[in-house]
């Protein structure tokens, strides 16, 4: 069964850091582009970042560029999102998702990040 | 990285049909046949219901259909069921910015 399980969310003060993890099963993490998408409380979905199959090509939304870093560990079948210099506006549920022709066809259950001032 | 434009709400009675629009630009919706639609029930993760403008993944009822004309894509839900009440999001490939989402449409089944 194809599955994504996020972890690593929590409460952090403004300016702090968190590392989110997304463990995949049922496929290999390096075989697909992978994304992070977030959803602030009561708001819509916002694309955050992606990593391509080569593992070195990455992209970020302007709002997180320079603060967030996406990476993966093929041996651990895990996708990561390192989040530094967190801001109150980064508060959201963070989802990892698998890409299939720019369609996010499999999603995790999400992990909640709360940034306090 | 501007979001695609969706109406904030839509509604219909059971058995009726409802269409939800998703308007982008010639750099995203108009440029690629990579428009997807997602259904999100309250407190749950999004689930894809349409990919590549009009393809339905396995297990998605054929009541859901997608189309595109120019810079606007549409999701049509026919024969509305109570369980269709959810928020629906469109997304599109957007070149270098890769993926852009719409703001979401809350569908109410009256």
């Amino acid at each position: 069964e194809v599955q994504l399980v996020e972890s690593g969310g929590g409460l952090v003060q403004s300016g702090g850091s968190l590392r989110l993890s997304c463990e995949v099963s049922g496929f290999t993490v390096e075989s697909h582009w992978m994304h992070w998408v977030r959803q602030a409380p009561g708001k819509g979905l916002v694309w955050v970042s992606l990593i391509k199959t080569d593992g070195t090509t990455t992209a970020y939304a302007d709002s997180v560029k320079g603060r967030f870093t996406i990476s993966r560990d093929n041996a651990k079948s895990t996708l990561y999102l390192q989040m530094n210099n967190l801001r109150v506006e980064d508060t959201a549920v963070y989802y990892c998702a698998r890409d299939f022709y720019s369609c996010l066809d499999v999603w995790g259950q999400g992990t909640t990040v709360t940034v306090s001032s | 990285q501007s979001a695609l434009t969706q109406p904030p709400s839509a509604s219909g009675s059971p058995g009726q049909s409802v269409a939800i629009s998703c308007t982008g630009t010639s750099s995203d919706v108009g440029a690629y046949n990579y428009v997807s639609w997602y259904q999100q029930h309250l407190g749950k993760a999004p689930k894809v219901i349409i990919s590549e403008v009009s393809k339905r993944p396995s297990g998605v009822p054929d009541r859901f259909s997608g189309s595109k004309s120019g810079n606007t894509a549409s999701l049509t839900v026919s024969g509305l069921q109570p369980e269709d009440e959810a928020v629906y999001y469109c997304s599109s490939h957007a070149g270098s910015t890769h993926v852009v989402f719409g703001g979401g449409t809350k569908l109410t089944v009256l």
Side-chain angles (χ1 to χ4, degrees), chain B residues 46-93:
Chain B
K47 168 192 167 186
V48 62
I49 56 173
I50 295 287
S51 66
E52 296 179 67
V53 177
S54 59
K55 294 182 178 179
R56 268 181 296 105
S58 174
V60 174
D62 59 7
R63 302 183 289 103
F64 294 93
S65 62
S67 63
K68 189 186 88 166
S69 178
N71 296 337
T72 299
S74 297
L75 171 72
T76 300
V77 187
S78 306
L80 272 173
Q81 302 287 320
E83 60 266 30
D84 298 334
E85 186 158 297
V87 180
Y88 292 83
Y89 294 92
C90 62
S91 77
S92 174
H93 183 74

Side-chain angles (χ1 to χ4, degrees), chain A residues 33-98:
Chain A
W33 292 13
M34 296 292 296
H35 298 262
W36 287 98
V37 175
R38 69 185 182 184
Q39 186 170 35
K43 302 296 185 182
L45 303 173
V46 175
W47 176 78
V48 172
S49 181
L50 95 91
I51 185 166
K52 295 188 178 182
T53 50
D54 61 12
T56 54
T57 303
T58 58
Y60 300 91
D62 289 344
S63 58
V64 308
K65 203 173 294 184
R67 300 187 298 123
F68 289 13
T69 302
I70 190 172
S71 64
R72 70 179 191 224
D73 185 329
N74 297 341
K76 294 184 177 180
S77 297
T78 302
L79 175 74
Y80 300 102
L81 186 67
Q82 177 67 44
M83 305 188 296
N84 297 331
N85 191 20
L86 281 161
R87 305 168 180 167
V88 171
E89 54 266 35
D90 294 320
T91 293
V93 175
Y94 284 74
Y95 296 100
C96 61
R98 186 179 78 170

Side-chain angles (χ1 to χ4, degrees), chain A residues 39 50 59 62 102-104 108, chain B residues 1 36 38 40 45 48 89 93 98:
Chain A
Q39 186 170 35
L50 95 91
D62 289 344
S102 289
C103 169
L104 278 59
Chain B
Q1 297 174 346
S36 302
Y38 305 89
Q40 187 178 35
V48 62
Y89 294 92
H93 183 74
H98 300 290

Side-chain angles (χ1 to χ4, degrees), chain B residues 10-69:
Chain B
S11 63
S13 299
Q16 287 187 330
S17 293
V18 64
I20 298 171
S21 62
C22 169
T23 302
T25 69
S26 57
S27 297
D28 39 61
V29 173
Y32 307 96
N33 286 326
Y34 290 133
V35 175
S36 302
W37 290 89
Y38 305 89
Q39 177 191 63
Q40 187 178 35
H41 288 110
L42 190 64
K44 301 293 187 181
K47 168 192 167 186
V48 62
I49 56 173
I50 295 287
S51 66
E52 296 179 67
V53 177
S54 59
K55 294 182 178 179
R56 268 181 296 105
S58 174
V60 174
D62 59 7
R63 302 183 289 103
F64 294 93
S65 62
S67 63
K68 189 186 88 166
S69 178

